[in-house]
Amino acid sequence: MQKIHRSLLITLLVSSVSFSAAAKDVTVMISGGFKAALEKLAPQFEAKSGDKIILISGPSMGRTPQAIPARLARGEKADVVIMVGDALKNLEKDNWLQPGSRVELADSSIGMVVKEGEPKLNIKTDADLRNALLQAKSIAYSDSASGRYVSSQLFKKLGIEDKVKTKAHRVERIPVASEVAKGTYAVGFQQVSELLPVPGVTFVGELPEDVQYVTRFAGAVTAKATNGQEGKALLNFLSSAEAQDTVRATGLRSVTAELPVKQHDTVQ
């Protein structure tokens, strides 16, 4: 009986050591738009795979040192990057990614917030949005894809570019909604999925459809990935049917992984 117990104990110990040895740390550099979805889905992936996800946050683009391209350029390690589709395309051109590893993950629309307790503005139509921005004391937008669209195209489309240029401000690196929550700015624009998790603000709504701009988020395995196979498994899981309820719950729109990215899917 003692021999049986010893054999069973040895088997359990060996199994435990083997599992620990097989488990990998999957390092993911990720921008804000898909971060809330990944944080909710990470425990499910870790339970299924035995691997652990390590998140490193940073904008998809911009001048801040925390931006994902800047992190990679100075030698920071990652197995996977998840970011705005156009920025990912630039990394691919510069040979930072494994060829053919890109996976389409979600589409993200732009929305607006005000500080919690302030009147919830009406932005259902272009005229409503134009009036709200003309009345706002200050406007904030991000230094990434959504902000580039707001500053370079949205104000022009609404015919108010000259009228708001002195009160429109770019927020670098940190969530726009966090600055609105502090009262630094009256209204703020960013991807809906980046606005919803921030406390202290009221989500007003998405931009009217005819002036909306949808940004594609995608992921890829880096060229210097230590655990590239595990990273690709993570991307496949995030784009799978079982992940879509969570993806949509964070303010994103599902995409079909096989669909090619069209020109209008991403902010230029």
Side-chain angles (χ1 to χ4, degrees), residues 13 48 67 102 108-109 137 172 179 255 260:
L13 288 172
K48 291 177 62 174
R102 174 169 170 152
S108 182
S109 55
K137 293 182 179 179
E172 295 189 354
E179 290 297 290
V255 297

Side-chain angles (χ1 to χ4, degrees), residues 61-80:
M61 58 190 76
R63 298 174 295 181
T64 173
Q66 289 80 14
I68 291 174
R71 288 183 181 277
L72 293 175
R74 63 173 176 263
E76 291 191 32
K77 303 297 183 183
D79 297 304
V80 169

Side-chain angles (χ1 to χ4, degrees), residues 128-185:
D128 294 331
L129 177 60
R130 183 184 298 109
N131 183 61
L133 294 181
L134 290 175
Q135 296 300 318
K137 293 182 179 179
S138 55
I139 303 165
Y141 56 88
S142 80
D143 64 342
S144 195
S146 62
R148 292 190 179 191
Y149 169 71
V150 169
S151 61
S152 67
Q153 297 184 48
L154 177 63
F155 296 150
K156 284 183 181 179
K157 289 180 178 181
L158 296 175
I160 59 173
E161 185 178 22
D162 291 338
K163 296 181 177 64
V164 301
K165 62 182 179 181
T166 59
K167 62 179 180 178
H169 305 274
R170 181 176 62 202
V171 176
E172 295 189 354
R173 189 175 59 83
I174 60 176
V176 170
S178 66
E179 290 297 290
V180 176
K182 291 189 293 186
T184 308
Y185 304 108

Side-chain angles (χ1 to χ4, degrees), residues 14-157:
V14 170
S15 297
S16 177
V17 170
S18 298
F19 180 79
S20 298
K24 303 289 180 63
D25 287 345
V26 182
T27 302
V28 181
M29 284 188 184
I30 186 168
S31 61
F34 199 81
K35 187 180 178 183
L38 180 53
E39 287 177 335
K40 290 180 179 297
L41 289 165
Q44 190 176 342
F45 174 79
E46 291 174 338
K48 291 177 62 174
S49 67
D51 298 323
K52 181 181 179 182
I53 297 175
I54 298 174
L55 294 183
I56 299 175
S57 298
S60 295
M61 58 190 76
R63 298 174 295 181
T64 173
Q66 289 80 14
I68 291 174
R71 288 183 181 277
L72 293 175
R74 63 173 176 263
E76 291 191 32
K77 303 297 183 183
D79 297 304
V80 169
V81 291
I82 295 176
M83 56 202 296
V84 170
D86 281 353
L88 192 70
K89 191 184 299 181
N90 291 334
L91 290 184
E92 186 175 17
K93 289 179 182 177
D94 293 336
N95 299 315
W96 287 105
L97 308 177
Q98 291 186 12
S101 66
R102 174 169 170 152
V103 176
E104 312 303 324
L105 296 177
D107 282 339
S108 182
S109 55
I110 299 173
M112 191 176 87
V113 292
V114 295
K115 185 177 180 180
E116 191 172 43
E118 293 295 320
K120 186 176 179 180
L121 303 174
N122 177 16
I123 61 168
K124 291 182 179 180
T125 68
D126 293 2
D128 294 331
L129 177 60
R130 183 184 298 109
N131 183 61
L133 294 181
L134 290 175
Q135 296 300 318
K137 293 182 179 179
S138 55
I139 303 165
Y141 56 88
S142 80
D143 64 342
S144 195
S146 62
R148 292 190 179 191
Y149 169 71
V150 169
S151 61
S152 67
Q153 297 184 48
L154 177 63
F155 296 150
K156 284 183 181 179
K157 289 180 178 181

